[in-house]
Amino acid sequence: MQFCGSDGNRRKTELAQQDYDVIVVGAGNAAFCAALAAREQGASVLMLERAPEDENGGNSRFTAGAFRVAYDGVEDLRALMPDLTDTEVANTDFGTYTTDQFFDDMFRVTRYRTDPELCERLVRQSFEGLNWLRGKGVRFVPIYGRQAFKIDGRFKFWGGLTVEAWGGGPGLVDRETEIARGLGIEIRYGARVVDLKFDGHAVHGVRVKSGGEIHELGARSVVLASGGFESNAEWRTRYLGPGWELAKVRGTRFNTGDGIRMALDIGASPYGNWSGCHAVGWDYNAPEFGDLTVGDNFQKHSYPWGIMVNATGRRFVDEGADFRNYTYARYGREILNQPDQFAWQVFDSKIVPILRDEYRIKRVTKVSAGTLEELAGKLEGVDPKGFLAEVEAYNDAVDTDTPFDPNVKDGRAARGLAVPKSNWANRIDEPPFEAYQVTCGITFTFGGLRVDPDSCQVMDSDMAPIPGLYAAGELVGGIFCFNYPGGTGLMSGTVFGRVAGIAAGAAANAGG
Ligand SMILES: Cc1cc2nc3c(=O)[nH]c(=O)nc-3n(C[C@H](O)[C@H](O)[C@H](O)COP(=O)(O)OP(=O)(O)OC[C@H]3O[C@@H](n4cnc5c(N)ncnc54)[C@H](O)[C@@H]3O)c2cc1C
């Protein structure tokens, strides 16, 4: 096969005949699920990944590996985690997380804007999808560290998030890579897909930039699984709005919207919440993009137990509106909207022992003080008088009659304030005090491509499927809107990656 760059000046490149049944663009979780499912159909599969091998795995590598999955009880969890011991089961209250609960969470946090058919598939196939991944050889364990508290000697899970991949995001991606290679799936790194081969009707392959040259590769089906546009400052500002160029990127620097752009270029229909994204409170001095040596530890997710103040010293969100899993993904935007895009999270010595591990890392923007007055002087960028007045008003409003219980929405509120706090309100009055400075860290974007929920085939703007083109993962639009329940990104990539891979593999078998 002979290929050349588009302008004719580029050097022609001879390649050996390299047509594949299925080409998957990307090598994150959604891409691996698509590749494994297509391989199951007997298809020959090539994965093309833009990042060099030592930065592989996309955002999936940066995750904690947490999966939101519906389960009816401990027996379902035993199926997913056969390594669970009887002692663990005896010492843990796993509760349930039924499909109804999952639906409720999706509808509530997206304010009923999630696409009903995509949501239906995501929720109903979550258990089956994860069990399929387990069957491929991925190992799962309970998230004891982050989603469970010990009560009377027994762990109790809260917030519907119970399962994580062994080894977190890195463990997940490394295992998926190993499994894919074992099944004969070829993976090429440093291979940036720049364009789709499209004849005006169907997609027949891709153009890929690799080693400084453009090559053309033919395939019967192409699955786009190349993430959203969170790492593209210009698109962030264009679609999310002014100020978003200043957000820090929590994950990979390679998700710049290439897959979305390529599909739109050939007439794909944009879909979903294009001005929306998942964004959290993230260390103020974190680097521009994610750092794999720190992973997700720049996040600061214990804010429900304390207060957050802005440059005026005032609180600006209800830190205890809901469990952390249901607020964290939208509070990044709230922080970005504050003067100079920062907030300080403030805790007293009662709460410090239950702060999450990420508060104890070395690269943290933190101050401590023996008095509130001393602390006020240390909160860089904050009006000290405003802060002291705010803490006083907040402390006076705390309902100290209701006991503090981090495992349930305890109703221990601070009411009668301009910004109330609905749960977990504790007076900030026991020294020493600690404060952590955060800004907005963007995780991934919600807008993307419209797909047929039954096949993940990409739809064009006439609502007709584009032959040969499929999509899965972050770049599928319509699933999340405004907000996101923690652990759903990996689950979505698994469910829709599998759907896309099955359909792409079957279409390739059928001859196109
Ligand atoms: C810090 C952090 C923590 C998170 N924690 C969790 C969690 O615990 N649970 C959860 O469910 N979700 C979590 N998420 C969200 C989760 O990472 C994503 O929802 C999920 O990983 C998306 O998977 P994906 O395969 O669609 O994208 P990715 O894993 O990002 O993969 C996309 C891949 O495509 C590649 N690519 C991009 N452009 C091209 C191109 N032109 N050619 C070839 N390749 C290309 C990229 O390099 C990348 O490897 C977290 C995200 C971050 C950043």
Side-chain angles (χ1 to χ4, degrees):
M1 208 184 290
Q2 191 181 56
F3 303 110
C4 60
S6 54
D7 59 10
N9 292 328
R10 265 187 215 122
R11 192 156 52 89
K12 287 191 174 181
T13 311
E14 287 287 344
L15 290 175
Q17 182 70 35
Q18 283 190 1
D19 283 338
Y20 293 83
D21 291 331
V22 177
I23 286 180
V24 178
V25 183
N29 176 59
F32 277 113
C33 291
L36 294 174
R39 190 78 192 97
E40 234 173 36
Q41 304 294 306
S44 59
V45 182
L46 170 68
M47 299 178 76
L48 296 170
E49 167 55 52
R50 174 179 175 184
E53 188 163 2
D54 61 359
E55 289 182 78
N56 76 65
N59 271 351
S60 304
R61 178 174 287 281
F62 282 86
T63 69
F67 281 80
R68 181 167 295 264
V69 57
Y71 61 92
D72 284 328
V74 75
E75 288 316 310
D76 282 351
L77 293 176
R78 276 189 190 271
L80 289 178
M81 302 179 282
D83 299 340
L84 264 187
T85 63
D86 291 342
T87 316
E88 280 174 311
V89 170
N91 291 338
T92 311
D93 177 0
F94 288 109
T96 58
Y97 187 64
T98 62
T99 51
D100 281 352
Q101 287 170 288
F102 200 163
F103 278 123
D104 284 349
D105 283 341
M106 282 295 292
F107 294 151
R108 184 168 44 89
V109 303
T110 66
R111 298 188 225 157
Y112 294 86
R113 290 292 195 130
T114 179
D115 177 293
E117 287 183 66
L118 292 172
C119 182
E120 175 93 15
R121 199 169 266 276
L122 168 68
V123 170
R124 294 215 186 279
Q125 294 193 359
S126 61
F127 182 79
E128 185 192 327
L130 212 58
N131 213 18
W132 169 79
L133 208 48
R134 183 202 57 78
K136 294 281 172 208
V138 176
R139 201 178 141 207
F140 298 103
V141 291
I143 317 179
Y144 281 117
R146 294 183 172 196
Q147 299 293 328
F149 285 104
K150 214 168 188 178
I151 307 173
D152 299 332
R154 219 168 163 239
F155 281 103
K156 182 175 168 54
F157 276 86
W158 54 274
L161 201 49
T162 311
V163 181
E164 69 183 347
W166 187 82
L172 172 71
V173 170
D174 289 346
R175 186 71 190 115
E176 288 178 332
T177 307
E178 205 174 34
I179 296 165
R181 285 196 170 128
L183 292 171
I185 294 169
E186 190 184 337
I187 310 172
R188 290 191 204 162
Y189 296 101
R192 180 180 189 177
V193 175
V194 292
D195 215 349
L196 297 167
K197 283 179 69 184
F198 180 62
D199 63 7
H201 167 68
V203 169
H204 299 286
V206 298
R207 289 185 189 81
V208 56
K209 190 170 180 189
S210 173
E213 292 173 347
I214 305 280
H215 309 291
E216 214 169 284
L217 292 170
R220 293 194 166 86
S221 307
V222 172
V223 182
L224 298 171
S226 45
F229 60 86
E230 59 275 0
S231 310
N232 182 333
E234 195 258 345
W235 272 37
R236 283 205 305 272
T237 316
R238 194 191 307 184
Y239 295 113
L240 304 181
W244 278 96
E245 68 279 19
L246 300 172
K248 311 235 178 194
V249 176
R250 296 178 68 203
T252 176
R253 62 195 166 100
F254 297 105
N255 288 0
T256 51
D258 284 6
I260 298 175
R261 195 254 313 140
M262 280 177 246
L264 295 182
D265 282 351
I266 63 160
S269 167
Y271 190 44
N273 185 201
W274 271 73
S275 60
C277 67
H278 179 305
V280 308
W282 193 247
D283 192 279
Y284 187 74
N285 289 304
E288 179 182 3
F289 298 107
D291 176 342
L292 278 170
T293 63
V294 179
D296 62 2
N297 281 318
F298 286 125
Q299 69 198 11
K300 295 289 168 270
H301 282 352
S302 293
Y303 59 84
W305 320 143
I307 61 168
M308 279 199 281
V309 297
N310 66 14
T312 68
R314 298 285 148 76
R315 292 174 52 248
F316 54 94
V317 287
D318 179 348
E319 302 88 344
D322 204 334
F323 284 120
R324 190 277 307 170
N325 276 331
Y326 305 113
T327 58
Y328 79 117
R330 66 187 171 88
Y331 280 2
R333 180 184 286 266
E334 299 292 345
I335 295 167
L336 189 85
N337 287 339
Q338 301 311 306
D340 294 333
Q341 299 86 34
F342 74 82
W344 283 92
Q345 298 180 357
V346 182
F347 307 97
D348 76 357
S349 65
K350 294 192 288 296
I351 295 303
V352 167
I354 65 164
L355 293 181
R356 292 161 59 107
D357 290 347
E358 68 229 21
Y359 286 78
R360 286 180 276 276
I361 66 169
K362 279 191 184 149
R363 290 168 66 183
V364 66
T365 308
K366 169 186 171 182
V367 293
S368 339
T371 64
L372 282 170
E373 289 69 20
E374 186 192 350
L375 187 74
K378 287 186 170 179
L379 299 180
E380 190 149 348
V382 174
D383 169 21
K385 280 193 185 141
F387 169 71
L388 289 171
E390 186 75 354
V391 173
E392 192 180 346
Y394 166 79
N395 279 348
D396 286 349
V398 170
D399 158 22
T400 47
D401 293 338
T402 305
F404 171 65
D405 182 352
N407 296 288
V408 293
K409 285 202 254 178
D410 62 5
R412 184 179 159 105
R415 294 204 181 83
L417 301 168
V419 182
K421 185 170 181 191
S422 303
N423 295 285
W424 310 299
N426 287 300
R427 290 169 59 91
I428 298 181
D429 57 3
E430 287 183 23
F433 303 97
E434 289 188 359
Y436 297 80
Q437 192 178 23
V438 290
T439 185
C440 171
I442 183 168
T443 319
F444 66 94
T445 43
F446 291 159
L449 303 173
R450 188 188 300 271
V451 298
D452 169 3
D454 295 330
S455 63
C456 283
Q457 201 164 353
V458 176
M459 311 293 281
D460 70 16
S461 46
D462 294 324
M463 304 299 155
I466 301 175
L469 190 62
Y470 302 80
E474 274 179 10
L475 84 180
V476 171
I479 303 171
F480 306 114
C481 194
F482 302 124
N483 193 5
Y484 155 103
T488 319
L490 289 173
M491 198 65 253
S492 159
T494 302
V495 168
F496 294 110
R498 185 173 173 226
V499 169
I502 291 172
N509 281 336

PDB file of all heavy atoms in Angstrom, residues 8 11 22 28 52 70 81 90 147 156 183 193 304 356 366 372 377 406 415 443 463 471 494:
ATOM      1  N   GLY A   8       1.188  16.655  -1.151  1.00  0.00           N
ATOM      2  CA  GLY A   8       2.052  16.159  -2.208  1.00  0.00           C
ATOM      3  C   GLY A   8       3.516  16.477  -1.974  1.00  0.00           C
ATOM      4  O   GLY A   8       4.385  15.866  -2.595  1.00  0.00           O
ATOM      5  N   ARG A  11       6.930  13.453   1.923  1.00  0.00           N
ATOM      6  CA  ARG A  11       7.581  12.286   1.357  1.00  0.00           C
ATOM      7  C   ARG A  11       6.613  11.113   1.303  1.00  0.00           C
ATOM      8  O   ARG A  11       5.888  10.831   2.259  1.00  0.00           O
ATOM      9  CB  ARG A  11       8.759  11.928   2.266  1.00  0.00           C
ATOM     10  CG  ARG A  11       9.701  10.930   1.676  1.00  0.00           C
ATOM     11  CD  ARG A  11      11.061  11.088   2.327  1.00  0.00           C
ATOM     12  NE  ARG A  11      10.986  11.053   3.782  1.00  0.00           N
ATOM     13  CZ  ARG A  11      11.067   9.955   4.506  1.00  0.00           C
ATOM     14  NH1 ARG A  11      11.185   8.789   3.913  1.00  0.00           N
ATOM     15  NH2 ARG A  11      11.053  10.006   5.812  1.00  0.00           N
ATOM     16  N   VAL A  22     -10.716  -3.946  12.149  1.00  0.00           N
ATOM     17  CA  VAL A  22     -11.137  -2.844  13.019  1.00  0.00           C
ATOM     18  C   VAL A  22      -9.918  -2.045  13.471  1.00  0.00           C
ATOM     19  O   VAL A  22      -8.932  -2.629  13.949  1.00  0.00           O
ATOM     20  CB  VAL A  22     -11.885  -3.374  14.270  1.00  0.00           C
ATOM     21  CG1 VAL A  22     -12.266  -2.227  15.203  1.00  0.00           C
ATOM     22  CG2 VAL A  22     -13.136  -4.158  13.865  1.00  0.00           C
ATOM     23  N   GLY A  28      -7.154   3.976  25.841  1.00  0.00           N
ATOM     24  CA  GLY A  28      -7.640   4.093  27.219  1.00  0.00           C
ATOM     25  C   GLY A  28      -8.632   2.972  27.465  1.00  0.00           C
ATOM     26  O   GLY A  28      -8.756   2.032  26.655  1.00  0.00           O
ATOM     27  N   PRO A  52       3.158   8.607  23.589  1.00  0.00           N
ATOM     28  CA  PRO A  52       4.235   7.611  23.588  1.00  0.00           C
ATOM     29  C   PRO A  52       3.943   6.526  24.620  1.00  0.00           C
ATOM     30  O   PRO A  52       3.131   6.736  25.526  1.00  0.00           O
ATOM     31  CB  PRO A  52       5.472   8.426  23.985  1.00  0.00           C
ATOM     32  CG  PRO A  52       4.962   9.668  24.617  1.00  0.00           C
ATOM     33  CD  PRO A  52       3.580   9.909  24.087  1.00  0.00           C
ATOM     34  N   ALA A  70     -24.179  -1.357  39.194  1.00  0.00           N
ATOM     35  CA  ALA A  70     -25.380  -1.761  39.933  1.00  0.00           C
ATOM     36  C   ALA A  70     -25.199  -3.186  40.447  1.00  0.00           C
ATOM     37  O   ALA A  70     -24.731  -4.056  39.716  1.00  0.00           O
ATOM     38  CB  ALA A  70     -26.599  -1.685  39.022  1.00  0.00           C
ATOM     39  N   MET A  81     -15.847  -9.982  42.338  1.00  0.00           N
ATOM     40  CA  MET A  81     -14.590 -10.016  43.102  1.00  0.00           C
ATOM     41  C   MET A  81     -14.462 -11.383  43.776  1.00  0.00           C
ATOM     42  O   MET A  81     -14.645 -11.499  44.995  1.00  0.00           O
ATOM     43  CB  MET A  81     -14.592  -8.888  44.146  1.00  0.00           C
ATOM     44  CG  MET A  81     -14.771  -7.511  43.529  1.00  0.00           C
ATOM     45  SD  MET A  81     -14.793  -6.153  44.729  1.00  0.00           S
ATOM     46  CE  MET A  81     -16.451  -6.265  45.381  1.00  0.00           C
ATOM     47  N   ALA A  90     -17.913 -10.708  56.197  1.00  0.00           N
ATOM     48  CA  ALA A  90     -18.475 -10.606  57.550  1.00  0.00           C
ATOM     49  C   ALA A  90     -18.230  -9.220  58.152  1.00  0.00           C
ATOM     50  O   ALA A  90     -19.056  -8.710  58.914  1.00  0.00           O
ATOM     51  CB  ALA A  90     -17.861 -11.686  58.445  1.00  0.00           C
ATOM     52  N   GLN A 147     -14.283   4.881  50.001  1.00  0.00           N
ATOM     53  CA  GLN A 147     -15.746   4.898  49.942  1.00  0.00           C
ATOM     54  C   GLN A 147     -16.403   4.198  51.123  1.00  0.00           C
ATOM     55  O   GLN A 147     -17.602   3.921  51.087  1.00  0.00           O
ATOM     56  CB  GLN A 147     -16.228   4.240  48.635  1.00  0.00           C
ATOM     57  CG  GLN A 147     -15.752   4.918  47.382  1.00  0.00           C
ATOM     58  CD  GLN A 147     -16.352   6.300  47.202  1.00  0.00           C
ATOM     59  OE1 GLN A 147     -17.477   6.561  47.601  1.00  0.00           O
ATOM     60  NE2 GLN A 147     -15.595   7.206  46.607  1.00  0.00           N
ATOM     61  N   LYS A 156     -18.634   0.216  56.386  1.00  0.00           N
ATOM     62  CA  LYS A 156     -19.932   0.461  55.740  1.00  0.00           C
ATOM     63  C   LYS A 156     -19.690   1.323  54.505  1.00  0.00           C
ATOM     64  O   LYS A 156     -19.088   2.378  54.573  1.00  0.00           O
ATOM     65  CB  LYS A 156     -20.866   1.181  56.699  1.00  0.00           C
ATOM     66  CG  LYS A 156     -22.244   1.430  56.122  1.00  0.00           C
ATOM     67  CD  LYS A 156     -23.164   2.039  57.181  1.00  0.00           C
ATOM     68  CE  LYS A 156     -24.455   2.571  56.603  1.00  0.00           C
ATOM     69  NZ  LYS A 156     -25.213   1.637  55.810  1.00  0.00           N
ATOM     70  N   LEU A 183      -4.180 -11.449  23.223  1.00  0.00           N
ATOM     71  CA  LEU A 183      -5.197 -11.891  22.269  1.00  0.00           C
ATOM     72  C   LEU A 183      -4.838 -11.510  20.835  1.00  0.00           C
ATOM     73  O   LEU A 183      -5.659 -11.623  19.926  1.00  0.00           O
ATOM     74  CB  LEU A 183      -6.559 -11.286  22.637  1.00  0.00           C
ATOM     75  CG  LEU A 183      -7.163 -11.816  23.951  1.00  0.00           C
ATOM     76  CD1 LEU A 183      -8.385 -11.008  24.360  1.00  0.00           C
ATOM     77  CD2 LEU A 183      -7.542 -13.301  23.808  1.00  0.00           C
ATOM     78  N   VAL A 193      -3.877   9.743  15.157  1.00  0.00           N
ATOM     79  CA  VAL A 193      -4.807   9.718  14.022  1.00  0.00           C
ATOM     80  C   VAL A 193      -5.243  11.159  13.757  1.00  0.00           C
ATOM     81  O   VAL A 193      -5.644  11.880  14.672  1.00  0.00           O
ATOM     82  CB  VAL A 193      -6.019   8.805  14.326  1.00  0.00           C
ATOM     83  CG1 VAL A 193      -7.043   8.876  13.208  1.00  0.00           C
ATOM     84  CG2 VAL A 193      -5.533   7.369  14.521  1.00  0.00           C
ATOM     85  N   PRO A 304     -16.763  18.321  52.067  1.00  0.00           N
ATOM     86  CA  PRO A 304     -18.061  18.250  52.761  1.00  0.00           C
ATOM     87  C   PRO A 304     -17.934  18.347  54.282  1.00  0.00           C
ATOM     88  O   PRO A 304     -18.895  18.701  54.974  1.00  0.00           O
ATOM     89  CB  PRO A 304     -18.616  16.880  52.351  1.00  0.00           C
ATOM     90  CG  PRO A 304     -17.962  16.577  51.047  1.00  0.00           C
ATOM     91  CD  PRO A 304     -16.571  17.150  51.186  1.00  0.00           C
ATOM     92  N   ARG A 356      -9.099  12.849  53.669  1.00  0.00           N
ATOM     93  CA  ARG A 356      -8.640  11.793  52.764  1.00  0.00           C
ATOM     94  C   ARG A 356      -7.118  11.852  52.618  1.00  0.00           C
ATOM     95  O   ARG A 356      -6.485  12.873  52.858  1.00  0.00           O
ATOM     96  CB  ARG A 356      -9.310  11.981  51.394  1.00  0.00           C
ATOM     97  CG  ARG A 356     -10.813  11.730  51.416  1.00  0.00           C
ATOM     98  CD  ARG A 356     -11.497  12.360  50.223  1.00  0.00           C
ATOM     99  NE  ARG A 356     -10.981  11.857  48.975  1.00  0.00           N
ATOM    100  CZ  ARG A 356     -11.626  11.020  48.152  1.00  0.00           C
ATOM    101  NH1 ARG A 356     -12.823  10.583  48.466  1.00  0.00           N
ATOM    102  NH2 ARG A 356     -11.090  10.621  47.024  1.00  0.00           N
ATOM    103  N   LYS A 366      -0.816  24.250  51.484  1.00  0.00           N
ATOM    104  CA  LYS A 366      -1.455  24.123  52.789  1.00  0.00           C
ATOM    105  C   LYS A 366      -0.904  25.160  53.757  1.00  0.00           C
ATOM    106  O   LYS A 366       0.290  25.475  53.702  1.00  0.00           O
ATOM    107  CB  LYS A 366      -1.131  22.713  53.317  1.00  0.00           C
ATOM    108  CG  LYS A 366      -1.465  22.466  54.747  1.00  0.00           C
ATOM    109  CD  LYS A 366      -0.953  21.096  55.181  1.00  0.00           C
ATOM    110  CE  LYS A 366      -1.101  20.940  56.675  1.00  0.00           C
ATOM    111  NZ  LYS A 366      -0.575  19.669  57.160  1.00  0.00           N
ATOM    112  N   LEU A 372      -7.701  31.252  64.743  1.00  0.00           N
ATOM    113  CA  LEU A 372      -8.377  31.640  63.494  1.00  0.00           C
ATOM    114  C   LEU A 372      -7.801  32.955  62.966  1.00  0.00           C
ATOM    115  O   LEU A 372      -7.663  33.143  61.753  1.00  0.00           O
ATOM    116  CB  LEU A 372      -9.881  31.787  63.736  1.00  0.00           C
ATOM    117  CG  LEU A 372     -10.650  30.457  63.814  1.00  0.00           C
ATOM    118  CD1 LEU A 372     -12.081  30.682  64.299  1.00  0.00           C
ATOM    119  CD2 LEU A 372     -10.661  29.762  62.449  1.00  0.00           C
ATOM    120  N   GLY A 377      -4.617  35.485  58.455  1.00  0.00           N
ATOM    121  CA  GLY A 377      -3.467  36.190  57.877  1.00  0.00           C
ATOM    122  C   GLY A 377      -2.671  35.325  56.918  1.00  0.00           C
ATOM    123  O   GLY A 377      -1.868  35.836  56.125  1.00  0.00           O
ATOM    124  N   PRO A 406     -20.493  10.904  59.127  1.00  0.00           N
ATOM    125  CA  PRO A 406     -20.055  11.003  57.730  1.00  0.00           C
ATOM    126  C   PRO A 406     -20.633   9.919  56.819  1.00  0.00           C
ATOM    127  O   PRO A 406     -20.519  10.016  55.598  1.00  0.00           O
ATOM    128  CB  PRO A 406     -18.531  10.887  57.824  1.00  0.00           C
ATOM    129  CG  PRO A 406     -18.252  10.220  59.117  1.00  0.00           C
ATOM    130  CD  PRO A 406     -19.393  10.563  60.034  1.00  0.00           C
ATOM    131  N   ARG A 415     -27.981  26.628  59.140  1.00  0.00           N
ATOM    132  CA  ARG A 415     -29.055  27.284  58.381  1.00  0.00           C
ATOM    133  C   ARG A 415     -29.096  28.771  58.689  1.00  0.00           C
ATOM    134  O   ARG A 415     -28.397  29.260  59.568  1.00  0.00           O
ATOM    135  CB  ARG A 415     -30.403  26.665  58.754  1.00  0.00           C
ATOM    136  CG  ARG A 415     -30.514  25.217  58.314  1.00  0.00           C
ATOM    137  CD  ARG A 415     -31.960  24.752  58.127  1.00  0.00           C
ATOM    138  NE  ARG A 415     -31.958  23.344  57.731  1.00  0.00           N
ATOM    139  CZ  ARG A 415     -31.860  22.330  58.585  1.00  0.00           C
ATOM    140  NH1 ARG A 415     -31.761  22.569  59.878  1.00  0.00           N
ATOM    141  NH2 ARG A 415     -31.848  21.084  58.146  1.00  0.00           N
ATOM    142  N   THR A 443     -11.643  17.527  34.392  1.00  0.00           N
ATOM    143  CA  THR A 443     -11.449  16.086  34.245  1.00  0.00           C
ATOM    144  C   THR A 443     -11.759  15.647  32.817  1.00  0.00           C
ATOM    145  O   THR A 443     -10.913  15.074  32.146  1.00  0.00           O
ATOM    146  CB  THR A 443     -12.383  15.332  35.219  1.00  0.00           C
ATOM    147  OG1 THR A 443     -12.408  16.008  36.462  1.00  0.00           O
ATOM    148  CG2 THR A 443     -11.935  13.899  35.413  1.00  0.00           C
ATOM    149  N   MET A 463     -29.214  12.303  11.093  1.00  0.00           N
ATOM    150  CA  MET A 463     -29.593  11.211  12.002  1.00  0.00           C
ATOM    151  C   MET A 463     -29.482   9.839  11.333  1.00  0.00           C
ATOM    152  O   MET A 463     -30.166   8.899  11.710  1.00  0.00           O
ATOM    153  CB  MET A 463     -31.012  11.364  12.567  1.00  0.00           C
ATOM    154  CG  MET A 463     -31.231  12.653  13.273  1.00  0.00           C
ATOM    155  SD  MET A 463     -30.127  12.800  14.685  1.00  0.00           S
ATOM    156  CE  MET A 463     -30.029  14.558  14.831  1.00  0.00           C
ATOM    157  N   ALA A 471     -18.119   4.968  18.028  1.00  0.00           N
ATOM    158  CA  ALA A 471     -17.465   5.793  19.053  1.00  0.00           C
ATOM    159  C   ALA A 471     -17.818   5.280  20.438  1.00  0.00           C
ATOM    160  O   ALA A 471     -18.903   4.726  20.651  1.00  0.00           O
ATOM    161  CB  ALA A 471     -17.900   7.250  18.913  1.00  0.00           C
ATOM    162  N   THR A 494     -16.617   1.172  29.486  1.00  0.00           N
ATOM    163  CA  THR A 494     -16.692  -0.291  29.410  1.00  0.00           C
ATOM    164  C   THR A 494     -17.946  -0.731  28.662  1.00  0.00           C
ATOM    165  O   THR A 494     -17.882  -1.544  27.730  1.00  0.00           O
ATOM    166  CB  THR A 494     -16.682  -0.893  30.839  1.00  0.00           C
ATOM    167  OG1 THR A 494     -15.484  -0.458  31.488  1.00  0.00           O
ATOM    168  CG2 THR A 494     -16.747  -2.399  30.821  1.00  0.00           C
TER     169      THR A 494
END
